[in-house]
């Protein structure tokens, strides 16, 4: 345990599975599959100041907060990490992680690289860092365009961020390439199984 971990107010009791990677790599789909296949996993619902999409719900995809609400939680020290992504703020609520750990489950954080690095600095011993890549940049663009959620300007902005995120892969323990969904999900589940064994051995 690092010195920073020891001084942290939230002692880790489960794993923090940090899943990052560029927009369009398929993190969301992978996470949804992980939850279906492993009942001991739960996803932390983040807070964000970005606009709610037409098919999104408060408390399901995100807690959609105003700038003031987000700032209030920040002032109360309510975030494990937060970052500005594509001009909006996103953050992991400590209360989400605590609730998940309290029920004996491991917590998935689907967050950007800046957030992943912060979490690792605070709680290295609990973290399993997984970077998800698409097979190519063309494939990323194809996926982000196909989901038809963002305007062209926003897609361009996301692709710029994606290029930067691709340079951060070395901050992660594992890289998986999302070519065939079923295979990549099995690969991630296998990583989690192994890390649970390592974690249990380290704690006892
Ligand atoms: P989107 O707007 O597409 O849902 O998410 C945009 C980016 O924000 C994605 O890379 C996503 O992983 C990241 N993100 C979502 N929640 C959080 C969070 O709580 N913290 C951080 N740092 N990034 C987040």
């Amino acid at each position: 345990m690092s010195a920073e971990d020891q001084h942290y107010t939230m002692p880790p009791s489960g794993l923090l599975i940090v899943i990052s990677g560029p927009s369009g790599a398929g993190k969301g789909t992978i996470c949804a599959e992980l939850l279906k296949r492993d009942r001991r996993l739960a996803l932390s619902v983040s807070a964000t100041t970005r606009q709610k999409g037409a098919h999104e719900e408060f408390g399901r995809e995100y807690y959609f907060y105003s700038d003031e609400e987000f700032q209030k939680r920040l002032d109360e020290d309510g975030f494990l990490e937060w970052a500005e992504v594509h001009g909006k703020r996103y953050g992991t609520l400590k209360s989400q992680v605590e609730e998940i750990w309290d029920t004996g489950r491991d917590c998935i954080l689907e967050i950007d690289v800046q957030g992943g690095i912060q979490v690792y600095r605070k709680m290295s011993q609990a973290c399993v860092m997984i970077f998800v890549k698409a097979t190519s940049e063309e494939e990323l663009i194809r996926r982000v365009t196909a989901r038809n959620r963002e305007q062209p300007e926003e897609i361009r902005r996301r692709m710029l961020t994606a290029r930067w995120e691709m340079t951060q892969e070395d901050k992660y323990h594992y890289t998986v390439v999302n070519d065939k969904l079923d295979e990549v999900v099995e690969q991630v589940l296998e990583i989690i199984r192994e890390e649970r064994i390592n974690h249990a051995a380290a704690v006892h």
Side-chain angles (χ1 to χ4, degrees), residues 38-107:
D38 185 335
R39 296 282 162 198
R40 275 185 59 203
L41 293 175
L43 184 71
S44 157
V45 178
S46 296
T48 182
T49 60
R50 89 147 157 77
Q51 285 276 313
K52 184 168 84 63
H55 303 289
E56 293 178 321
E57 256 179 46
F58 182 88
R60 190 180 66 190
E61 279 79 11
Y62 286 104
Y63 293 98
F64 295 95
Y65 289 154
S66 64
D67 274 325
E68 293 71 30
E69 286 167 322
F70 196 97
Q71 187 59 45
K72 183 167 168 282
R73 272 157 189 94
L74 195 56
D75 294 341
E76 293 165 355
D77 195 25
F79 290 111
L80 175 58
E81 62 73 36
W82 74 275
E84 198 171 302
V85 190
H86 320 303
K88 297 290 172 190
R89 292 196 282 180
Y90 292 79
T92 302
L93 294 158
K94 286 182 184 172
S95 54
Q96 283 282 308
V97 177
E98 279 163 359
E99 265 176 53
I100 291 169
W101 280 352
D102 282 351
T103 55
R105 291 173 296 172
D106 294 315
C107 181

Side-chain angles (χ1 to χ4, degrees), residues 130-200:
I130 304 176
F131 192 85
V132 179
K133 282 207 297 202
T135 46
S136 65
E137 191 172 321
E138 290 70 40
E139 180 60 14
L140 271 188
I141 298 173
R142 198 191 61 72
R143 287 202 197 149
V144 172
T145 314
R147 71 184 175 191
N148 215 5
R149 202 178 70 188
E150 289 92 12
Q151 299 293 316
E153 190 48 45
E154 178 62 19
I155 292 178
R156 267 192 292 280
R157 188 211 276 256
R158 282 174 180 251
M159 285 305 121
L160 284 178
T161 311
R163 272 196 202 131
W164 175 78
E165 290 219 303
M166 294 298 286
T167 66
Q168 300 299 303
E169 184 187 336
D170 63 338
K171 310 276 189 322
Y172 284 68
H173 298 133
Y174 301 94
T175 293
V176 293
V177 179
N178 186 8
D179 185 4
K180 297 200 175 68
L181 180 66
D182 210 49
E183 283 174 18
V184 80
V185 171
E186 273 312 314
Q187 210 182 335
V188 175
L189 285 172
E190 186 53 34
I191 291 170
I192 296 171
R193 276 182 219 119
E194 266 178 38
E195 291 286 348
R196 277 180 179 143
I197 295 169
N198 295 344
H199 188 66

Side-chain angles (χ1 to χ4, degrees), residues 103-119:
T103 55
R105 291 173 296 172
D106 294 315
C107 181
I108 300 181
L109 302 181
E110 194 220 306
I111 62 179
D112 91 313
V113 169
Q114 306 171 76
I117 294 168
Q118 289 177 51
V119 174

